[in-house]
Amino acid sequence: MSCCSAGQPPARSPPLSAALAPITSMLDTAAEQMMVNKDFQAAFDTCDRGLKSLDGMEPEDNRCEEFRAGFCILGIQALAELNQWQDVLSWVLQQYEHQENIPARIMQMCVLLYSKVGEPAVMQEAARVWLLWPLNSGVSGFRTVAELYLLHILVPLGHGEEARELIAGEVGSAAFTEDQRQTALDVVEEKERRDQEAPCNPNVSPSSEITAHPQGGVIHKLAAMLRFLYRKVMMCHSGSFPLRRLFLAALLIYMLFFRLDPALPSSFMWISKLYQLLRQMWTTMFAPYYQALAQSKEL
């Protein structure tokens, strides 16, 4: 395990500023090679050397672990750019030895990376062990790791029973509020319902809407709804369209696009809930229109 060892006599260690100066320089060099020069192999090699240089250094104010995390973050990005993503988890474990010791932000990166390349199962065991480790429940990124584990691993893999156990167990209690837990259960049930339905396009996975771009279907629905709302507003003077529904739709659209960030994994639960509300309102508002249209076609 590459770690900052403790217990060495302070007299044998160089002054902290002198010891950390080359480490800081290597981290800056790796960042420049990554972001400016786009030399990903050189960036990874620099990160690897920096991590080895941390061996034998005595930590002070957690600076040693901060540098270790910085090198790992850049190294993960470099491996991904080099299309060597399959080596990421094993390389990270070389630095932290045990899965539960991986920092939350690095665990998040690994889950997202393996989900992006279509191999979420690789991170299933590591993320599960990390979440069940008692000391990790108090770290700042615990909730995000739990959300990513649920939405990018368990739900896409169809592990509904394990997802329910996670939500109802100690992890769910520590990570989510009661409303969030209920919404998470709704997401799991919706995924199972879609898996039971035969997909219209056999080349499209029934979970693609959840794992790829969950807000895409919502946007199309909202666009269609806005067109109908425009036509209905033109008839408001006749009293045939209740204005309170228009205000409700406007409020939901505002919350969805201006108060939530769809790019955040934590927003998907609320997007799914809003989508269900919009779908119910759509049916209530426009079902008579479609029934009349169907009857006219039969004539």
Side-chain angles (χ1 to χ4, degrees):
M1 172 182 178
S2 298
C3 63
C4 300
S5 62
Q8 294 182 357
R12 297 183 181 180
S13 300
L16 182 61
S17 58
L20 287 180
I23 301 297
T24 304
S25 177
M26 278 191 284
L27 188 61
D28 292 340
T29 299
E32 182 178 355
Q33 291 169 334
M34 168 74 68
M35 305 299 178
V36 180
N37 301 333
K38 304 296 183 182
D39 191 343
F40 306 119
Q41 185 62 56
F44 177 77
D45 293 340
T46 302
C47 291
D48 209 34
R49 289 196 304 271
L51 289 166
K52 292 177 181 178
S53 298
L54 290 173
D55 295 343
M57 292 182 59
E58 186 174 357
E60 182 171 327
D61 296 330
N62 294 325
R63 294 293 303 276
C64 185
E65 290 306 314
E66 290 177 4
F67 281 114
R68 186 177 306 284
F71 282 124
C72 284
I73 290 172
L74 289 175
I76 291 171
Q77 294 174 335
L79 287 174
E81 294 290 350
L82 292 169
N83 199 27
Q84 298 178 16
W85 52 266
Q86 61 273 15
D87 298 329
V88 166
L89 181 58
S90 59
W91 181 72
V92 170
L93 286 174
Q94 289 178 11
Q95 318 309 323
Y96 293 99
E97 188 174 2
H98 298 295
Q99 298 162 337
E100 61 270 18
N101 295 334
I102 299 175
R105 52 185 170 174
I106 296 178
M107 180 63 69
Q108 295 164 17
M109 288 185 65
C110 291
V111 172
L112 289 172
L113 173 62
Y114 281 96
S115 174
K116 180 69 174 180
V117 298
E119 296 291 342
V122 175
M123 288 300 302
Q124 182 177 1
E125 179 65 16
R128 185 186 66 83
V129 170
W130 192 94
L131 288 169
L132 294 177
W133 188 250
L135 295 180
N136 288 334
S137 61
V139 302
S140 59
F142 181 80
R143 185 181 67 176
T144 302
V145 175
E147 291 174 351
L148 293 176
Y149 179 61
L150 176 67
L151 297 177
H152 291 270
I153 296 179
L154 295 183
V155 171
L157 292 176
H159 295 170
E161 190 62 31
E162 185 176 349
R164 290 187 181 88
E165 293 177 359
L166 175 82
I167 296 168
E170 295 181 358
V171 173
S173 299
F176 309 127
T177 65
E178 188 64 30
D179 290 341
Q180 289 173 336
R181 292 166 71 182
Q182 182 58 51
T183 305
L185 289 173
D186 293 341
V187 171
V188 175
E189 293 175 359
E190 178 69 11
K191 170 62 166 56
E192 291 178 339
R193 184 187 65 79
R194 293 182 181 180
D195 285 347
Q196 292 175 357
E197 297 176 355
C200 297
N201 186 351
N203 295 325
V204 178
S205 169
S207 62
S208 60
E209 186 175 348
I210 292 179
T211 57
H213 300 286
Q215 68 270 31
V218 178
I219 293 175
H220 291 301
K221 287 287 186 181
L222 288 175
M225 178 175 285
L226 288 174
R227 289 194 295 269
F228 277 106
L229 287 175
Y230 175 77
R231 297 171 187 171
K232 291 290 186 178
V233 168
M234 296 298 100
M235 300 186 297
C236 280
H237 64 277
S238 64
S240 60
F241 181 74
L243 282 177
R244 64 176 180 273
R245 290 180 178 174
L246 174 61
F247 294 149
L248 177 59
L251 176 62
L252 292 176
I253 294 171
Y254 170 77
M255 289 295 296
L256 180 59
F257 289 102
F258 295 96
R259 304 302 295 179
L260 296 176
D261 184 359
L264 293 177
S266 58
S267 298
F268 174 66
M269 294 184 182
W270 311 117
I271 291 175
S272 177
K273 197 68 174 179
L274 288 174
Y275 171 66
Q276 293 176 11
L277 293 174
L278 287 171
R279 186 170 58 181
Q280 293 172 2
M281 189 172 66
W282 176 280
T283 302
T284 302
M285 293 168 60
F286 303 117
Y289 170 80
Y290 286 115
Q291 292 175 359
L293 182 61
Q295 292 175 359
S296 64
K297 289 182 178 180
E298 293 176 358
L299 297 178

